[in-house]
Amino acid sequence: MTGRGKPPVQSVLTQSVKIVLVDFHTHTRASDGALTPGELLERAAARGVRLLAITDHDTVAGYLAARELSGGTPAAPRLVAGVEFSCRWSGATVHIVGLGIDCDHPAMAEGLGILAAARTRRGVRIGEKLAERGFAGALEGALAEAGDSQLGRPHFAAWMIRRGHVPDARTAFARFLGRGRAGDVMAFWPELGQVVDWIESSGGAAVVAHPAKYGFTGAKLRRLLADFAAAGGSGIEVACGHQTPEQTQRLRRYAREFDLEISVGSDFHRDAPYAPALGVDLPRADGLRGVWERWVA
């Protein structure tokens, strides 16, 4: 494979790996995070994060709001435009992070519009399926919980908790909204190749999000990465949230095998027991290309 014009490995940030925090996968209240864009920006500044990508699900509203506020936030990190798209691949839902995108590019505008419509149709279907289980008014309740945010399953969970149907979000997902349950609706997502094209055409880097979380066998994950690379994808998250060192090393080997850049992120949503904190140590490239090279001279 070729490098497809990707940047060289050398980086001033890799000179001081242990003291540099970055985060290329975070969420705000614009999708399913708990913090406003301003609060996330302040948290990142307090943590000493140097580069921050806000990657809300299927919307750039969180990034745009943070960009407006960054000038007034002391020690604010450098912001990288981001989004996390949902897509279909081989019968499964896969998430692709777009980093460094042009939010106003026609390809990105098309993708965001299609995903917004898909989320609306998906929400209607989730509401119908929950109504069949005896939860009348679920869609209206989830929309009220979402407000201006992009509608998602956590908003249905919040409504179920508020109405006393379940004690907490964990129970809501385990019984009604999680994988294989009534609220697990994925039929409306675009295909993997389409999402990669939207991101790459808008000048961004398409990155496979949290590959260790899908529960794929090694063979299936390698098939995903082969298809992703063939579609023109750029990178893979080699560290995201809580992972074992063995998982990280395996993903680094896959990055080398499929000629992909490496990225890292917390997948931060909220403060919770066992949830990852904001900010990730910048890893050593060790012969691989870091996606951060795109924003650091």
Side-chain angles (χ1 to χ4, degrees):
M1 297 182 185
T2 66
R4 295 190 293 276
K6 294 173 185 174
V9 173
Q10 297 301 317
S11 167
V12 295
L13 288 183
T14 57
Q15 306 296 322
S16 53
V17 175
K18 295 301 183 182
I19 63 171
V20 176
L21 287 179
V22 299
D23 206 323
F24 300 116
H25 190 158
T26 67
H27 298 274
T28 74
R29 204 175 290 172
S31 61
D32 59 346
L35 303 183
T36 67
E39 289 168 341
L40 183 69
L41 195 63
E42 291 175 357
R43 175 75 63 86
R47 286 272 296 160
V49 174
R50 295 267 300 278
L51 278 174
L52 175 71
I54 295 177
T55 56
D56 281 309
H57 292 285
D58 307 319
T59 178
V60 295
Y63 161 73
L64 293 176
R67 187 178 66 180
E68 292 298 313
L69 296 169
S70 61
T73 303
R78 180 176 178 183
L79 287 176
V80 176
V83 67
E84 183 175 8
F85 277 140
S86 302
C87 65
R88 290 182 294 167
W89 174 81
S90 192
T93 297
V94 172
H95 291 174
I96 304 296
V97 167
L99 299 174
I101 56 174
D102 176 357
C103 299
D104 297 320
H105 193 281
M108 183 53 53
E110 176 189 7
L112 292 169
I114 288 175
L115 264 297
R119 280 195 170 268
T120 297
R121 295 197 302 274
R122 177 179 182 247
V124 169
R125 184 59 182 145
I126 291 174
E128 292 171 347
K129 292 174 77 68
L130 290 177
E132 293 170 1
R133 300 293 299 273
F135 300 109
L139 175 61
E140 295 77 10
L143 287 170
E145 293 288 341
D148 294 333
S149 304
Q150 193 75 286
L151 180 64
R153 285 178 296 171
H155 300 117
F156 284 93
W159 173 78
M160 296 178 82
I161 295 168
R162 188 179 299 277
R163 293 297 298 269
H165 297 308
V166 294
D168 51 41
R170 182 184 296 274
T171 304
F173 274 84
R175 296 180 59 189
F176 304 107
L177 298 168
R179 184 178 300 176
R181 304 301 182 185
D184 183 23
V185 177
M186 65 177 181
F188 300 106
W189 303 138
E191 295 293 334
L192 171 71
Q194 179 66 82
V195 164
V196 170
D197 184 63
W198 287 331
I199 294 170
E200 298 286 338
S201 294
S202 66
V207 176
V208 178
H210 43 64
K213 293 184 179 180
Y214 299 120
F216 292 165
T217 63
K220 187 170 184 178
L221 181 53
R222 290 181 72 256
R223 284 201 296 114
L224 166 63
L225 297 177
D227 289 348
F228 173 75
S234 292
I236 177 176
E237 287 182 347
V238 296
C240 185
H242 296 307
Q243 279 183 200
T244 66
E246 291 76 17
Q247 287 175 319
T248 299
Q249 288 306 311
R250 180 164 65 104
L251 294 174
R252 290 177 71 96
R253 289 196 300 271
Y254 289 159
R256 181 170 285 106
E257 178 180 354
F258 294 101
D259 193 28
L260 296 171
E261 296 172 62
I262 60 173
S263 184
V264 294
S266 64
D267 197 10
F268 177 84
H269 284 74
R270 57 183 47 80
D271 294 319
Y274 311 112
L278 188 68
V280 180
D281 282 338
L282 188 75
R284 293 189 181 278
D286 290 335
L288 296 169
R289 291 181 302 273
V291 70
W292 54 87
E293 302 291 339
R294 294 168 177 256
W295 307 291
V296 179

